[in-house]
Amino acid sequence: MAEFKNLTVGSEGEAITLGRRGKLRVPDNPIIPFIEGDGIGGDITRASMRVWDAAVAKAFDGKRKVAWLEVYAGEKAYEKFGEWIPEDTFEALRQFHVSIKGPLTTPVGGGIRSLNVTFRQVLDLYSCVRPVRYFRGVPSPVKRPGDLDVVIFRENTEDVYSGIEYREGTDAAQKVIDFLNHEMGAHVRPDSGVGIKPISITGTKRHVRKAIQYAIANKLPKVTLVHKGNIMKFTEGAFRDWGYELAREEFADKVITEEDVWSKHNGEIPKGMIMINDRIADSIFQQVLLRPTEYSVLVTPNLNGDYLSDACAAQVGGLGMAPGANIGDTVALFEATHGTAPKYAGKDMVNPGSLMLSGAMMFDHMGWKKAATLIRRGIQGAIKQKRVTYDLERQMKGATKVSTSQFAEAIVENM
Ligand code: NAP
């Protein structure tokens, strides 16, 4: 194990390790690093820990317990160590394999685009996973929000988010435009800013592999490749083609194409098989509204996934409850999907649901499914009793407004 500079690991817990083929070996008292986060991070982390610890204790009769290890990023790290993300933090996330974080302020200036993006890049967390499911009673803008129950896999490292951009009017932009116009036969207006959209075989295949593995592990019936390949043929269209290719190469005994389901099986997915299909990005936005029950795992390049996951979250009642994770080959970082909401910081007011449910995802990932189920049951129970934080209370008839910490207590009572 690498040494830490400023971090002391207590003697209480044991490290999660990786077994064969990257499978996690989870001890009964795993060390799990957490980043509290900025703004409302402290409020939601405290409330979530209350719920996570209670769920684990109840699920395993006190035989299992997480040894939480605080690691630093964001404003707290900057105050303590003069760095936004100290190397110790990266090292802890690598060494302990599974971790969780609250939201982080994006520093203004200082050359850092976003701390979240930095984590994804440094730790190569190439798939962003966003499950979207409805909790009965949460106000939603659609008639049957419960029909949508999908997991979105958004590629995290490529596409127009790769950071290759040239500002209009700079020498660099001019160079790129000249190259395109003079050597490639393109017609780019000289007063353009330019961004580059790389999508690779490597990036696509490892991402689609994760999504199919997830569908298999969770017995989900369908994997849908979402793309805009009719227009961007060599990036988005290639994403679709490489996705199918990967399914054929590595999962031929478990995955069947939609075409084969119709041409060979009368539209019925053979038992034990997963159907892979694809949809164009604009169509999937209609489909999740009009035929939500037909989808289970949606696999997307970076930009489509960004839009689609927020739209789906809104459909089932908003981002305040939407969990998420960033996953690579050896590291998984679970996170609240909303920001730091600074105006509510320290007020014990906001909804901790997103972070709590990210914790439930984390327990699922560790194989502690009973604890995950208790967290979801507790949240569903508190919502059913209409004991909810301000954001839900203002939209629900006859609800009781509770604080962040009271919401946590209501959840624990309902487990
Ligand atoms: P935000 O922090 O998500 O807050 C926007 C609004 O969303 C809040 O004013 C509040 O709405 C609502 N909201 C967010 N979280 C909530 C919660 N847990 N419970 C109830 N309501 C919640 O977005 P922002 O103001 O655009 O961003 C603030 C900072 O967060 C920025 O520095 C941004 O870069 C950062 N950020 C970080 C992450 C991340 O770390 N993953 C993600 C997004 C943004 P009402 O006022 O209407 O109640």
Side-chain angles (χ1 to χ4, degrees), residues 40 44 101-106 116 320 335-344 350-352 390-391 394:
I40 55 172
I44 60 174
K101 67 176 266 296
L104 295 170
T105 307
T106 302
N116 296 305
E335 66 171 2
T337 55
H338 55 71
T340 59
K343 66 182 173 189
Y344 299 118
V350 293
N351 189 341
Y390 82 93
D391 53 313
R394 68 187 168 190

Side-chain angles (χ1 to χ4, degrees), residues 389-403:
T389 46
Y390 82 93
D391 53 313
L392 297 179
E393 186 264 348
R394 68 187 168 190
Q395 305 173 69
M396 280 163 80
K397 264 206 189 114
T400 309
K401 180 161 78 177
V402 297
S403 65

Side-chain angles (χ1 to χ4, degrees), residues 115-409:
L115 300 182
N116 296 305
V117 173
T118 307
F119 274 117
R120 289 169 202 168
Q121 285 174 347
V122 171
L123 299 169
D124 201 17
L125 305 174
Y126 55 79
S127 292
C128 173
V129 187
R130 295 266 181 96
V132 179
R133 66 178 286 250
Y134 181 62
F135 283 89
R136 270 188 319 282
V138 172
S140 147
V142 301
K143 281 189 188 148
R144 290 193 308 278
D147 283 358
L148 186 68
D149 185 358
V150 294
V151 182
I152 298 165
F153 274 72
R154 164 188 169 194
E155 205 285 329
N156 237 350
T157 64
E158 304 198 314
D159 199 351
V160 283
Y161 284 64
S162 62
I164 311 168
E165 263 198 311
Y166 304 100
R167 191 193 296 274
E168 183 276 326
T170 59
D171 288 349
Q174 200 52 55
K175 243 184 179 168
V176 176
I177 292 168
D178 285 347
F179 169 72
L180 291 171
N181 287 351
H182 299 146
E183 297 192 35
M184 306 301 289
H187 301 284
V188 180
R189 292 194 184 101
D191 59 347
S192 300
V194 181
I196 307 278
K197 178 184 174 81
I199 290 190
S200 69
I201 299 178
T202 308
T204 301
K205 285 196 173 176
R206 65 182 184 172
H207 175 62
V208 175
R209 181 183 299 117
K210 269 260 178 300
I212 295 178
Q213 285 169 340
Y214 182 94
I216 293 170
N218 292 281
K219 300 190 169 53
L220 297 171
K222 290 174 193 164
V223 172
T224 303
L225 303 163
V226 177
H227 59 88
K228 190 70 189 164
N230 52 333
I231 306 295
M232 291 170 273
K233 297 185 196 311
F234 306 132
T235 49
E236 302 259 336
F239 177 88
R240 172 201 58 215
D241 296 345
W242 294 326
Y244 279 121
E245 198 172 285
L246 182 278
R248 264 196 315 275
E249 286 164 353
E250 298 185 15
F251 299 97
D253 55 335
K254 295 199 176 68
V255 175
I256 180 167
T257 60
E258 184 170 43
E259 212 181 314
D260 280 354
V261 166
W262 284 102
S263 65
K264 296 180 186 161
H265 300 275
N266 260 337
E268 293 280 325
I269 304 172
K271 215 168 172 246
M273 296 291 274
I274 290 169
M275 182 174 92
I276 187 165
N277 58 6
D278 73 278
R279 294 289 180 270
I280 291 176
D282 37 67
S283 144
I284 200 72
F285 277 88
Q286 298 183 34
Q287 294 279 303
V288 292
L289 283 164
L290 302 173
R291 306 164 78 115
T293 55
E294 293 184 16
Y295 297 92
S296 45
V297 176
L298 305 173
V299 197
T300 78
N302 208 335
L303 180 65
N304 293 334
D306 193 1
Y307 296 160
L308 188 60
S309 48
D310 277 18
C312 288
Q315 193 168 324
V316 299
L319 277 173
M321 300 286 288
N326 293 295
I327 295 185
D329 285 331
T330 61
V331 178
L333 176 58
F334 295 80
E335 66 171 2
T337 55
H338 55 71
T340 59
K343 66 182 173 189
Y344 299 118
K347 294 204 168 126
D348 194 24
M349 215 177 131
V350 293
N351 189 341
S354 172
L355 187 63
M356 280 179 190
L357 289 167
S358 301
M361 267 179 95
M362 177 177 78
F363 290 136
D364 275 335
H365 180 75
M366 290 159 54
W368 290 16
K369 292 198 184 287
K370 257 182 154 177
T373 303
L374 286 180
I375 294 167
R376 294 189 187 107
R377 187 188 296 167
I379 291 178
Q380 181 61 80
I383 291 171
K384 197 168 165 217
Q385 294 171 342
K386 299 193 174 184
R387 295 156 73 190
V388 290
T389 46
Y390 82 93
D391 53 313
L392 297 179
E393 186 264 348
R394 68 187 168 190
Q395 305 173 69
M396 280 163 80
K397 264 206 189 114
T400 309
K401 180 161 78 177
V402 297
S403 65
T404 310
S405 47
Q406 287 168 337
F407 189 48
E409 292 310 320

